[in-house]
Amino acid sequence: MLVNANGTVVNANSIALEAFEAPGTALVGRGLLDLLPEFDSKLIPGSMRRPDHIDPRGRTKPTRMTARRTDGTEFPVEVTSANLENTQHTYDSYGYTGDELLMLVVRDLSGTVDTEAELARSQRQTEMILRAASEGVVGTDTDGRIVLVNPAAAQILGYRAGELGGRELHTLVLHSRADGSPFPYAESPLADTLRSGRKHRVRGQVLYAKNGDKLPVDLTTAPVRDGDQLVGAVMTFLDRRPYDALAKEKETAEREHAEELERLAEEHASELTALRQSHVTEVEELREQHAEELAAHEERYAALGEREKDRYEALAARHDQLLTLLGRSLRGPLDELRRELAALAADDAGQLWPEANQVLHHLSAGYSRITTLIDNVLGYQRLDAGAEQIARTKVMLDAVVAAGVDGAVELIGPGRVQFAVHAPPIEAEVDARLLATALAHLVADVAGVDATGNTPLSAGGYLDNTVVVAAAQRGEVVRIEVRGPYGGGDPVHEPVVRGIVRAHGGVLQTHEVPGMSGSAFVLEVPIGGGAGTVPQETAAQAEEAGASVETAEPAPGGGRRRARRASVDAFLESDVPGGGDGDAPAAAGAEAPQPTGRRRRR
C-alpha cells in the first residue's frame, strides 16, 4: 500500500485489496491508522514528530501487529515500511514528491500465527514430558554428539544439563564395559543405530557417571528421521540400581525366611510329634465315649419308641372303638329312634296336641342332622385314611351345587337361612357326592347354625342370614364361592371340606372382608376331563323382588338356579378379591362393600 503525507492510502495492489477490502467498501482513501491502529504514526512522511535518528528512507524491520479490515474485522499481520526514493514520474499526476510517499508491505499471518502457536504448544508439551519422564533421555546428532538431554538423564549421570551439550555421548558414558575393558564405539548399539537406523534394547548395560561410578541400566536406542533422512538418534535408559537393591533385599529376605523356617521346623518337630500323639489318644477316648453315648441313646430311644408305639396302638384302638360306636353300635339305635319319632310326628290317628307334634318334628329333624353329620364325618375319615378313593365322573356343576345346598338344609334344618345361588351349567370331572358333601358342610359352617339347630344371636340386632353360593369357571379350574353371616372355621365342618378339596387336587381359600362379620370361602377344583362352561341361549330372566329361598326354578341350558334377591346381583358380577382376571364372582354380602382386604390361604 502507498500512503501520502496525510496518512491516507492512495494506492494498493490487488493482494492488499483482497486482504483489507470488504464488499461495498473501499480501501483507497482510508486513513492508515484506521487500517493499522498499532502502526507508529511518527513514520508517516508528513509527521511533525518524526525524530532525526530514524532512517531517512523510513525503512523498518518486519513488525507484527493487528490489522483492521474496512468492515472492522481484525486479523494479525507483519508490516514493513519504506519511503519511495523517486516517484516523480510515476505519481506526477498526483503532485507528490518522492519523500512524501510511504510504501507498506503487509503480510497476512492468520494461518502462520496459528501454526506458530501450535508449534510452541507442542514444544512446551514435549519439554514437560521430557522433564516429567523418570527415564533418562539423550538425543544425539549423526556424529553421536549430545544435542538434547532431560533432567532425569543429567541427574542419573551426575552432570548438569549444560555440561553435556555438544559432547560425544559414547566417549562420555559408554567408553568401557562392566569389567573395565574398553568398549569400541563401532560395537556400541548407538553407533549401529546411527549407521543402519535399527533399534536396540540392551538389559544390564553399564554407563559411567561423572564420578566414575558404574551405573547398571536398561538401555534403548532408536533412530531420529526427518522424512527419509537419518538426522540423529535417541538413547533412553532406566537406572536399575533401585530394582537391583530391591531384588537383593528380596533375595536376602527369602534366604533369611528359609533359614528361619528350617530353624522353626527343627524346634517344633518334637512338639508336633507329641501333639500328634496326644491328639490320637484324645480322639480314641472321644470315639469310645461317643460310642457309649450312642449306645445309651439307642436304648433310650428304643424305650421311647416302644412307649410311643404302645400309645399309638392304644390311640388307634380308641379311634377304631369310636368309629365302630358311631358307625355301627350307635347308628342302629339312632335310626330306630328316628323312625319311631317320625312315626309319632306323623300322628296318623290325629291324637297329639299341636305343640307335641311340633316337638316331635323338631326331634326328628335333630336326629336326622345327627345321623347325616355322623355319616359325612365317617366318610371323610375313611377318605383321609385311604380306605376309600374319590370316584371322578363328568357331571354338571349346577346339579352338584344344588345337591350341596340340599345337603346343607339337612345339616342346619329347613327355614334357618336364606340362599342366593348362582350356578351356571359347567361340566367338570369330579366326585359329585363328595363335592356336594363339602359344599353342604361349608354352607353349614358360614351359616352359624350349631348342632342343636340354633343360630347365635347378633349383638347389633338384625343380621342378614343370607348365604351366597356362586360358581364360575376360571381357566382350567372351577371356583365356588360361599359367603355367610359368620366367620366359619368350625372344627367339625372345615376339616371335612379341606379333606375333600385336597383329595380333588384343589385348594380352599378364606377372604377376610373389612367391615363385615362373615367370611368368604373360595373353593377351587380342577375341571379335569370336563368340557367346562356349556353354551346356552340367552333368555330374559324374570324380575324377582324377593323370591322365597326354598323354591327352585329351572335355569337356561338345563342348570338349576335358586331364587336370589336383586341386592346380590352386584356381588355376582364382581371379581374375587386378590384373584386374577376372569369371570369368578366375589363373595360379598348384599349390602356390604366390595372386599379389598387380606387373603388367607390354608
Side-chain angles (χ1 to χ4, degrees):
M1 296 187 298
L2 295 180
V3 181
N4 62 12
N6 295 326
T8 302
V9 177
V10 296
N11 202 350
N13 64 356
S14 60
I15 298 178
L17 295 176
E18 182 180 354
F20 282 91
E21 269 190 355
T25 60
L27 174 62
V28 177
R30 293 269 181 172
L32 175 62
L33 296 181
D34 290 340
L35 302 174
L36 298 173
E38 301 174 10
F39 187 78
D40 189 359
S41 60
K42 294 181 292 184
L43 298 177
I44 299 175
S47 175
M48 300 297 295
R49 299 179 295 113
R50 186 170 184 177
D52 296 335
H53 64 272
I54 295 180
D55 185 355
R57 291 175 295 180
R59 294 181 180 179
T60 60
K61 296 181 179 179
T63 305
R64 292 192 177 187
M65 62 184 67
T66 301
R68 184 181 297 148
R69 295 185 179 89
T70 55
D71 61 356
T73 59
E74 297 180 346
F75 60 102
V77 295
E78 184 181 79
V79 180
T80 304
S81 64
N83 288 333
L84 293 180
E85 295 181 358
N86 186 6
T87 58
Q88 180 70 30
H89 301 289
T90 306
Y91 298 99
D92 185 58
S93 60
Y94 293 97
Y96 300 116
T97 62
D99 59 354
E100 292 180 328
L101 288 179
L102 178 68
M103 182 178 69
L104 301 177
V105 179
V106 182
R107 187 162 64 94
D108 190 352
L109 299 180
S110 298
T112 304
V113 170
D114 295 339
T115 303
E116 291 177 349
E118 180 64 23
L119 289 175
R121 188 191 65 80
S122 177
Q123 183 177 358
R124 288 195 303 270
Q125 185 177 12
T126 302
E127 291 177 356
M128 288 188 293
I129 292 174
L130 289 175
R131 289 181 178 275
S134 60
E135 294 183 343
V137 180
V138 179
T140 69
D141 57 14
T142 54
D143 295 329
R145 295 185 180 277
I146 299 173
V147 295
L148 179 146
V149 60
N150 72 334
Q155 181 181 3
I156 294 172
L157 296 174
Y159 290 92
R160 290 195 302 271
E163 297 176 346
L164 298 174
R167 301 181 65 176
E168 291 185 1
L169 178 60
H170 181 83
T171 305
L172 190 64
V173 297
L174 283 169
H175 50 78
S176 301
R177 293 186 171 90
D179 57 1
S181 60
F183 187 20
Y185 172 72
E187 300 178 6
S188 67
L190 177 63
D192 185 73
T193 298
L194 291 173
R195 284 194 307 268
S196 63
R198 289 190 294 263
K199 293 182 180 181
H200 291 277
R201 294 179 181 273
V202 182
R203 179 179 291 273
Q205 180 69 47
V206 173
L207 299 182
Y208 284 84
K210 181 178 181 180
N211 59 4
D213 291 344
K214 298 178 181 179
L215 304 176
V217 296
D218 292 337
L219 183 145
T220 302
T221 61
V224 177
R225 299 180 185 276
D226 184 5
D228 295 333
Q229 184 178 0
L230 184 66
V231 295
V234 173
M235 184 181 76
T236 61
F237 53 91
L238 179 65
D239 190 357
R240 291 189 54 85
R241 287 177 295 179
Y243 301 100
D244 293 342
L246 288 176
K248 185 175 181 180
E249 291 178 4
K250 181 181 178 182
E251 182 180 357
T252 303
E254 289 179 349
R255 183 174 65 255
E256 292 177 353
H257 181 65
E259 293 175 354
E260 182 69 14
L261 286 178
E262 185 178 357
R263 184 181 62 81
L264 291 175
E266 293 177 355
E267 289 180 359
H268 295 296
S270 58
E271 296 180 8
L272 289 174
T273 303
L275 288 175
R276 188 180 295 109
Q277 185 63 36
S278 174
H279 179 67
V280 171
T281 304
E282 185 178 356
V283 168
E284 290 295 333
E285 292 176 355
L286 291 175
R287 185 179 291 110
E288 293 177 0
Q289 181 181 355
H290 183 62
E292 294 176 358
E293 292 178 356
L294 285 178
H297 287 313
E298 287 178 358
E299 294 177 359
R300 179 185 175 188
Y301 291 143
L304 290 175
E306 291 294 332
R307 186 169 61 188
E308 293 298 325
K309 180 180 180 183
D310 294 340
R311 291 179 58 187
Y312 173 76
E313 291 177 354
L315 183 61
R318 289 195 297 271
H319 179 65
D320 293 339
Q321 182 185 16
L322 180 61
L323 291 180
T324 303
L325 174 65
L326 294 176
R328 299 179 185 176
S329 302
L330 188 60
R331 180 60 186 273
L334 285 175
D335 287 341
E336 184 178 356
L337 183 58
R338 183 178 62 178
R339 285 193 300 270
E340 292 176 355
L341 288 174
L344 288 175
D347 191 18
D348 296 333
Q351 298 177 355
L352 295 176
W353 291 93
E355 292 80 359
N357 187 272
Q358 183 178 2
V359 171
L360 289 173
H361 275 289
H362 180 71
L363 292 175
S364 177
Y367 276 105
S368 177
R369 285 196 302 274
I370 292 175
T371 54
T372 301
L373 185 60
I374 291 175
D375 290 341
N376 291 344
V377 172
L378 290 176
Y380 157 70
Q381 292 286 343
R382 288 190 294 270
L383 180 66
D384 189 59
E388 291 185 3
Q389 301 292 331
I390 62 173
R392 298 179 184 268
T393 56
K394 295 181 181 180
V395 295
M396 299 302 296
L397 192 63
D398 54 349
V400 176
V401 172
V405 173
D406 293 339
V409 173
E410 294 181 3
L411 289 175
I412 63 180
R416 299 293 183 182
V417 295
Q418 299 185 88
F419 291 94
V421 182
H422 176 71
I426 301 173
E427 186 184 54
E429 189 177 15
V430 295
D431 190 319
R433 179 183 63 83
L434 290 178
L435 191 57
T437 300
L439 286 176
H441 280 272
L442 192 56
V443 171
D445 194 12
V446 300
V449 178
D450 59 14
T452 64
N454 296 321
T455 304
L457 296 177
S458 174
Y462 172 75
L463 182 66
D464 188 2
N465 65 345
T466 302
V467 175
V468 181
V469 182
Q473 180 182 354
R474 179 68 59 86
E476 297 298 325
V477 299
V478 173
R479 301 181 66 141
I480 304 175
E481 300 185 27
V482 178
R483 163 168 291 182
Y486 295 94
D490 186 85
V492 174
H493 295 300
E494 188 172 352
V496 175
V497 179
R498 292 193 180 278
I500 295 175
V501 173
R502 185 169 55 250
H504 279 82
V507 65
L508 178 66
Q509 302 173 4
T510 304
H511 297 270
E512 295 180 354
V513 184
M516 299 191 66
S517 59
S519 291
F521 287 86
V522 179
L523 182 154
E524 293 185 355
V525 294
I527 292 179
T533 303
V534 178
Q536 58 179 353
E537 298 179 359
T538 304
Q541 299 292 333
E543 295 185 357
E544 299 175 357
S548 173
V549 299
E550 290 301 319
T551 59
E553 60 182 8
R560 183 179 182 185
R561 177 175 180 147
R562 289 183 178 267
R564 69 181 184 190
R565 297 176 305 166
S567 59
V568 186
D569 289 344
F571 149 67
L572 296 175
E573 306 261 341
S574 61
D575 288 339
V576 178
D581 52 2
D583 57 356
E591 289 81 11
Q594 289 297 322
T596 59
R598 297 160 295 172
R599 180 177 184 177
R600 293 186 288 114
R601 191 184 189 105
R602 300 182 182 176

